Amino acid sequence: MIIQSFWSKPFLSNSKDPNSRFKGGWLNEKYFYFSMALSCLKFKELYGDVNLYTDSKGEFIVNKTLGIPYSNFINCFDSLEHTNEKLWALPKLYTYSIQNKPFIHADTDVFIWEKFPEKLINAPIFCQNIEENFPIYSEALEEILTLFDWIPAELINSLYKHKKILAFNAGIIGGTDLDFFKKLLSRSKKFINKNDHFFNKIDVGIFNMIYEQQLGYAIANKKEINPKAFFDNIDSNFTPLVNFPLAAFHTKYIHAIGFAKKSIYACEQIEALLMYEFPEEYEKIKFNGTKNLLWKDYYEISETRKNYLFSIFKYVRENSLDVICDAKFRLNPTVKISEGNDSSKIDYVSPQTLQREQLNLEEWDAILFYFQESISINELSLELLLDNDIAAKHTKKALTEKLLSFVFDKCLLHEILLPDFANK
């Protein structure tokens, strides 16, 4: 069973705290709604029903105003009206705790293009990935350990046992051990209630991660359960999980985590993917949102930009990875290269702002020089491997993967590179 959650109070609270969830943390409200719609529709496509746990205001916006097609709306957050809106993870914990059969909870900024492995979702507890000593926890945890009157024993014991900070990322979370999720809510509520008088002295936004993800890992550890992770070796930048240029054809899971919500590139890709994969739903949601003034005017994808993106989306969905890696790419004719004694730059027109921008050709970006003539990823990979230093660091497969990501970033997001197959 797929479930998602939306607590409207932090979303609607006009907070300037960077770790709050005003506008869901997005550049503009419309991207929150487009993200929710794309996430809902992708999960429905693969799993059938998707239920949203929310409150009355949330259902009014999502269902009655926008018409995002969740299978069911469960209004269970109205009782949180007087809860501190900065505690945005608490409704998620409540949602987990009231499930009576194994479930998958996905954040509304998670998008998938294939089903999860059965061995993952049949685990007692599963998650997106394990976080080890991620910097964002350290400073907040130090304040909490110094200030708080009461800290769950599981958290202290985990720190003592492992000598490091361990947490799980709940971009997706679920499992068969329903008792765990009830325990997590109970211990988190006590953690909150015993210490809420200190909230003016800590970053409550990051505290959400500690009582949900770090404490959750510690409680699982006490139960002698190792949460099963969908991804291994994810660093604190989450780079593989926000690789929008490879979405659908090579990357089958995207999580627009943290900083991605503030990136016009990520936001544009979410809107474009929704527009391409679910055009009728996109038009309906955009019309309803605009008509009901749910967002202020913001960047709009032009018809020219849309046609360009769609031509790439179509190509990568219709061809194998081998064929894609044999396709030719070249520098956009509008790009200007200037070479200096100390550094080289390229000057290009941003497809989002239509203004000229500059990129320093340092380190990996210097590879753009190779695209002054049309060249494929496979051809470039073979040429680069003639360099002994590169060959010592990369296998053919690893280098091709890196080039694939680089080329589609510069092609899809920036139009610095153009594929021969695209409409441009």
Side-chain angles (χ1 to χ4, degrees), residues 36-86:
M36 175 180 271
L38 181 61
S39 183
C40 168
L41 289 162
K42 292 306 296 181
F43 276 98
K44 284 186 77 173
E45 191 174 65
L46 291 166
Y47 284 99
D49 289 346
V50 180
N51 296 336
L52 184 70
Y53 289 73
T54 186
D55 48 35
S56 298
K57 290 179 181 177
E59 182 180 3
F60 180 79
I61 295 170
V62 176
N63 182 25
K64 296 177 181 177
T65 306
L66 289 173
I68 296 176
Y70 281 97
S71 307
N72 297 288
F73 291 82
I74 299 95
N75 288 350
C76 55
F77 297 160
D78 284 349
S79 60
L80 299 174
E81 179 61 29
H82 300 294
T83 300
N84 186 332
E85 68 270 13
K86 292 183 179 181

Side-chain angles (χ1 to χ4, degrees), residues 83-327:
T83 300
N84 186 332
E85 68 270 13
K86 292 183 179 181
L87 296 170
W88 41 258
L90 191 59
K92 291 174 60 180
L93 301 191
Y94 179 72
T95 301
Y96 310 154
S97 75
I98 61 176
Q99 303 308 309
N100 55 21
K101 58 184 179 180
F103 65 92
I104 302 170
H105 182 283
D107 286 348
T108 56
D109 54 2
V110 168
F111 322 107
I112 60 171
W113 283 267
E114 66 182 13
K115 297 180 79 169
F116 299 115
E118 289 295 319
K119 64 181 179 180
L120 175 77
I121 61 176
N122 289 332
I125 306 166
F126 67 84
C127 61
Q128 176 181 282
N129 62 279
I130 302 299
E131 301 180 342
E132 180 177 325
N133 286 334
F134 277 21
I136 196 167
Y137 290 89
S138 302
E139 186 175 339
L141 185 60
E142 184 176 342
E143 291 178 338
I144 286 165
L145 292 173
T146 302
L147 291 171
F148 277 17
D149 290 333
W150 184 85
I151 296 171
E154 298 93 336
L155 198 60
I156 299 296
N157 291 340
S158 179
L159 288 167
Y160 180 78
K161 176 182 176 181
H162 298 290
K163 304 293 190 292
K164 56 188 174 184
I165 297 172
L166 289 169
F168 54 59
N169 186 287
I172 55 165
I173 192 169
T176 61
D177 189 343
L178 302 182
D179 176 69
F180 163 78
F181 295 100
K182 291 176 173 56
K183 184 74 170 179
L184 176 55
L185 175 65
S186 173
R187 298 298 277 171
S188 294
K189 286 174 70 175
K190 187 174 180 180
F191 198 9
I192 290 165
N193 294 336
K194 290 275 189 180
N195 301 291
D196 57 3
H197 50 293
F198 291 114
F199 284 1
N200 63 334
K201 296 182 179 180
I202 68 164
D203 189 325
V204 182
I206 297 177
F207 177 51
N208 285 281
M209 300 167 61
I210 291 172
Y211 72 73
E212 180 190 16
Q213 300 187 156
Q214 189 182 356
L215 177 58
Y217 185 94
I219 293 172
N221 197 238
K222 183 179 179 181
K223 290 171 66 77
E224 299 184 343
I225 297 173
N226 290 320
K228 191 167 187 62
F230 186 37
F231 293 98
D232 297 321
N233 304 317
I234 299 295
D235 64 25
S236 58
N237 292 322
F238 297 99
T239 305
L241 306 186
V242 292
N243 200 341
F244 280 95
L246 303 186
F249 75 100
H250 189 58
T251 298
K252 301 302 178 71
Y253 178 102
I254 294 285
H255 184 184
I257 193 166
F259 65 89
K261 295 180 178 67
K262 299 294 187 185
S263 164
I264 187 58
Y265 307 114
C267 289
E268 181 195 48
Q269 288 299 301
I270 289 167
E271 181 173 2
L273 287 165
L274 179 62
M275 192 188 300
Y276 181 80
E277 298 200 26
F278 304 99
E280 291 182 6
E281 294 291 349
Y282 170 77
E283 292 298 337
K284 177 186 72 176
I285 292 164
K286 184 178 181 184
F287 175 81
N288 289 338
T290 303
K291 180 181 72 173
N292 290 283
L293 305 177
L294 289 186
W295 56 74
K296 295 179 181 178
D297 288 342
Y298 205 70
Y299 166 70
E300 295 287 337
I301 299 173
S302 69
E303 193 66 19
T304 301
R305 176 74 170 149
K306 183 186 94 167
N307 291 337
Y308 172 75
L309 293 173
F310 279 21
S311 65
I312 297 173
F313 291 165
K314 184 174 187 293
Y315 183 87
V316 298
R317 284 162 173 77
E318 291 179 349
N319 290 282
S320 69
L321 192 59
D322 286 340
V323 170
I324 292 166
C325 287
D326 279 333

Side-chain angles (χ1 to χ4, degrees), residues 324-387:
I324 292 166
C325 287
D326 279 333
K328 304 275 190 177
F329 295 80
R330 69 190 188 284
L331 280 174
N332 190 322
T334 63
V335 166
K336 298 177 182 178
I337 298 178
S338 58
E339 298 185 54
N341 294 329
D342 298 323
S343 64
S344 299
K345 303 178 186 297
I346 63 166
D347 185 281
Y348 68 100
V349 177
S350 165
Q352 292 80 28
T353 66
L354 302 182
Q355 302 296 313
R356 297 206 73 89
E357 298 184 9
Q358 281 193 336
L359 175 70
N360 290 326
L361 295 183
E362 298 173 347
E363 298 179 349
W364 193 252
D365 286 327
I367 288 172
L368 288 171
F369 276 116
Y370 286 89
F371 292 93
Q372 293 180 83
E373 301 291 337
S374 291
I375 190 170
S376 73
I377 291 168
N378 279 334
E379 289 170 336
L380 180 55
S381 178
L382 291 172
E383 187 165 345
L384 291 175
L385 286 170
L386 296 175
D387 184 300

